[in-house]
Amino acid sequence: MTATDAQETDALPPRLGRFGAGQDPAKRDQILDGANIVFSRMGFDAAGIADITREAGVSKGTIYVYFDSKDDLFAALIDRQREHLFRDITAALDMPGSTVDRLRTYGVTLTGLLCSAQVVQAHRIIIGIASRKPDIGATFYEKGARRGMALLRGFLDQEIAAGRVLPCDTARAAQQFVELCLAGLFRQRLMAFLPDPPNDDQVAENVDAALRVFSAAYLSNQA
C-alpha cells in the first residue's frame, strides 16, 4: 500500500453501526448505570473507579475513554438524572388546562421526583462533598434548583401577561410555591426521618394545601 493509499484509507468514514472512541451511547449509559449503583451504595468518597468498573462490567481504560475523572463521571450521572426530571416538569407546565391545573400537575410531579430515593440520595451525596468541592455543589444548584425556578418563573410571567396571576415578584413567588409543595416532606426525606417516599395521596394532599395558600396570594379570578 502506498502512502497515498494509506491516507485515503484513513480518511474513509467508519462503518455503519460502529462508534468512535467515547461515542457509543449504550456503553456510556452502561457505565453511568454502574456508577449510579456504586455511588448510591458507597457514597462519593468511598466509591472508586475500580468499584465502578466491576459494577458496570467494563475496563478502567474504557471508563477513562468516556470520562476524565470520578468527578466528571459523577457530574454526568447527575446531568442524566436531571434531564429526566426537567422533561417531566416542563411537560407539566406545557399541558392544556387552567393555571391551577397546571400548577397542581407541576407540584405533584416535582414533589414526587424530589422525594424519590434516587434524587434524595443525590442530594445527600452533594451535601457530603460540597464543603470540599464547592464547584460541584454550585453546579448542582445552578443546573438544578436555579434552572427549575427559572422555568416556573417564566410560566408565572406568562400567566401574569394573560391576567391569570396577579402582578408580583415571580422569582419569589416561584420559590414560595416550590417550598410549599415540599413542606414537611423533602427535608424529612433528606434526613431519613421519612424512610420511604411519600405515596401519591400524601403528595397530592401536600400540593393541594400549597395551592390553597399560593392561590390566595397570587392568583386572579381568571385562573
Side-chain angles (χ1 to χ4, degrees):
M1 179 182 292
T2 66
T4 301
D5 291 335
Q7 291 172 358
E8 291 176 349
T9 301
D10 291 341
L12 290 175
R15 287 177 293 175
L16 292 177
R18 298 289 295 275
F19 295 95
Q23 300 300 313
D24 184 349
K27 181 64 67 176
R28 188 175 191 274
D29 280 340
Q30 179 182 340
I31 296 170
L32 290 174
D33 289 342
N36 183 48
I37 293 171
V38 172
F39 285 132
S40 296
R41 183 174 65 230
M42 304 177 65
F44 179 85
D45 289 326
I49 292 296
D51 301 303
I52 296 170
T53 62
R54 285 192 295 271
E55 190 65 49
V58 300
S59 68
K60 185 179 292 188
T62 298
I63 287 185
Y64 284 119
V65 167
Y66 285 83
F67 304 100
D68 293 335
S69 63
K70 186 173 77 169
D71 286 8
D72 184 38
L73 175 53
F74 180 70
L77 176 62
I78 295 298
D79 284 344
R80 186 178 70 166
Q81 295 174 347
R82 184 185 297 115
E83 290 312 309
H84 292 164
L85 186 151
F86 275 102
R87 178 194 61 204
D88 292 341
I89 64 172
T90 299
L93 292 177
D94 289 341
M95 64 177 285
S98 67
T99 305
V100 171
D101 288 341
R102 285 182 287 170
L103 283 173
R104 178 180 288 109
T105 302
Y106 171 91
V108 167
T109 303
L110 181 70
T111 303
L113 286 168
L114 289 182
C115 291
S116 68
Q118 189 174 44
V119 175
V120 165
Q121 181 63 19
H123 277 81
R124 289 171 179 164
I125 292 173
I126 291 293
I127 291 170
I129 64 177
S131 61
R132 294 178 292 98
K133 296 178 177 289
D135 54 325
I136 292 181
T139 300
F140 183 81
Y141 179 81
E142 181 76 28
K143 291 184 176 182
R146 188 170 182 180
R147 176 182 167 191
M149 291 299 176
L151 182 67
L152 182 55
R153 181 180 181 181
F155 170 78
L156 294 176
D157 284 334
Q158 293 175 357
E159 297 303 287
I160 288 174
R164 293 185 287 267
V165 171
L166 301 173
C168 62
D169 179 348
T170 51
R172 178 175 289 116
Q175 290 176 335
Q176 290 173 338
F177 181 66
V178 169
E179 293 297 330
L180 285 168
C181 289
L182 298 175
L185 294 178
F186 178 70
R187 185 168 296 181
Q188 292 185 30
R189 285 284 293 130
L190 191 63
M191 301 302 174
F193 184 79
L194 289 178
D196 300 312
N199 60 41
D200 292 346
D201 289 341
Q202 289 173 307
V203 171
E205 183 180 353
N206 231 51
V207 172
D208 285 341
L211 271 170
R212 288 193 292 272
V213 175
F214 189 82
S215 297
Y218 291 112
L219 299 191
S220 73
N221 294 329
Q222 301 180 47

